[in-house]
Amino acid sequence: MCGIVGMWCHSDRDVDAARFGAVIDALAHRGPDDEGAYHDAAARLHLGHRRLAILDPTPAGAQPMTSEDGSLVIVYNGEVYNFVEVRRELSQLGHHFRTDTDTEVLLAAFRQWGEGMLPRLNGMWAFAIWDREARTLFAARDRFGVKPFLYRDDGRTFSFASELKAFAAMPRAAVRLDAATLAFSPMLMETVGPTLLEGVRSLPPGHLVRVATDGRPRERRWWVTAEHLPELPGTYAGQVEAFREQLADACRVRMRADVPLGTSLSGGLDSSSVAAMVRSVGGQEGFTADWQRIFSQGNPGTSQDESAWAAQVGDHLGATIRWTDPAVASEPSRLQASVLAFEGVHILPLGLWSHYRAMRDDGVVVSIDGHGGDELLGGYVRFTERARRRALWSARPAEWREYARVALGLRGLADTPAARRTLLAEDAGTLARPSAAVAALRTHPVVSSLRGHLSHLRAPTAPPGGIAADREALGDRAAALLARRTAVRQDAERLGPLATALYEAFHFDTLPSILRNFDRLSMASGVEIRSPLLDWRLVTFATALPDRARIGDGFTKRILRDAVQGLLPEPVRRRKDKKGFASPMIDWLAGGLGELAVDVATDASFVGRDLWDGPAIRDRIVAAHRRGDWAALKSDWWFVQSELLAQGLEDVARRAEAR
């Protein structure tokens, strides 16, 4: 797990090697253990690496790494969990290995199979391989986009990196937030391509890109989940057993490391199940001996407090929980650091940033987490709503009652006749309105974000036509979003309605953003996250399941609950309400964060920034703080965070130029 960066200069002007060192240093937090650089002077190509040593931490694992014959050079960020098995196969084919790293296995696999190696890998990755003889650069991203790969092609230089900070540090780089991305829901930037930094794109999950001597990047999708669905056991009991075995193996292979492991625990079903399964399969020969540390951020006394649930899991597993504390209001410098680390504006990152910082301070380098369960198995309220209304529309009363039980549990309500009548009235009213589809569209995060913020944006460079330039960019974003969503839905067209909705959440509008968030906030402290529920074997298995295996018997995520029976305390396993591993934003704004928002909004930099109407937004924020309207202040927080991010990236650029 590391930070990678590269620059291929297609003009006559190369980048000074020392200056490129400043670009590598911008990612020092991702790889605090070592750094390395490679320069092909004839091609004017630079590769850089910051190393987080997890497998074979000796100098033999340093990057950039060159193949045995010297023709290939790789920079790699990620983990291939089945590298032992792939290396064994390659050894039988005549390849020789000098290290115990998965990096060397990737080089040999590329030499043996080319891009055909990608489906053979089980893991998370973003890497670039330079072919010195063919003068081509090949890069790829893992199936679900766990690891980032950002790139920019300005016609003179093709550059790539793990984070936006590296682009800010590059010579001759314009550091400017992208107004269209800010307006058009930055939650979806991992899905569509454009990022918050003008000119920088994110390679979509499951894609590869090739760059030849003409300098033009050519993207291609190499993975479609719906094309790899397995045949399931014929009975639900058989499906539960197979799911349990796959989850156990997904945890087992993610415990391959030469450094201490930890587990992040929210107290919800997903993270609790992963913690329990790690405990169940841990202690095997050949794995690190330090794998039993559990960390939780309970947020006691706030609306997000799940400490009692997490404590139950800890007691059941016989583990001592290490509690992490975000300490928001008292340390503005920590907030600035977390915002720059996050490189996003759609959530407040300090809580999660502090959580992984505390893990690293305790000596943990790898955290095994529970991401993906909600999107795979229907953990969100909106999934039960869709299923419930479809059952009502299709006149299937028994099915409607089953989904109603689940919905009431998620709301924390008892399953009573009165409560069911209320739900029935809601569903009947929704179906009776001719404009229901339009109303649903209006509540989509993309549309609501656009509607709420467009009026405060001005043209980034004030070209002739003014705001029309923004509208054109917004139109491009809308077209890209529609194309991506259409492609995802076409992939899932053979699945049922609920499975299609889950597929879309997993591949388009929810999980990609979550994975992006956790990558930035964990790697800011040099902590690698591994997620067993994102094992591709488990994902394809869960995608093929019938609806009742996901939502049924009064519960969401039914098959996961049944698979971990006996591993968790029953109150946690059968828990129906849902909070999530999130920051209590309203509580923090009322507790001191609101004052910081006012300080930022009244600063001359914010008021004068040409991305938005600074005076109008400043006045709104000041008024909301004065009257204690924390919900209104929360709705404008993204402007404050955008300003903090812009200032942070500008500081990165100044430091790099000063070297």
Side-chain angles (χ1 to χ4, degrees), residues 230-243 246 541 545-546 559:
E231 184 175 345
L232 300 177
T235 65
Y236 177 67
Q239 293 164 11
V240 170
E241 181 60 28
F243 189 94
Q246 291 199 16
F541 185 92
L545 287 169
I559 194 169

Side-chain angles (χ1 to χ4, degrees), residues 338 341-342 349 352-353 356 517-525:
S338 71
F342 182 47
L352 292 173
W353 177 87
Y356 291 104
N517 298 348
F518 278 86
D519 169 80
R520 302 302 192 276
L521 296 175
S522 61
M523 290 301 293
S525 298

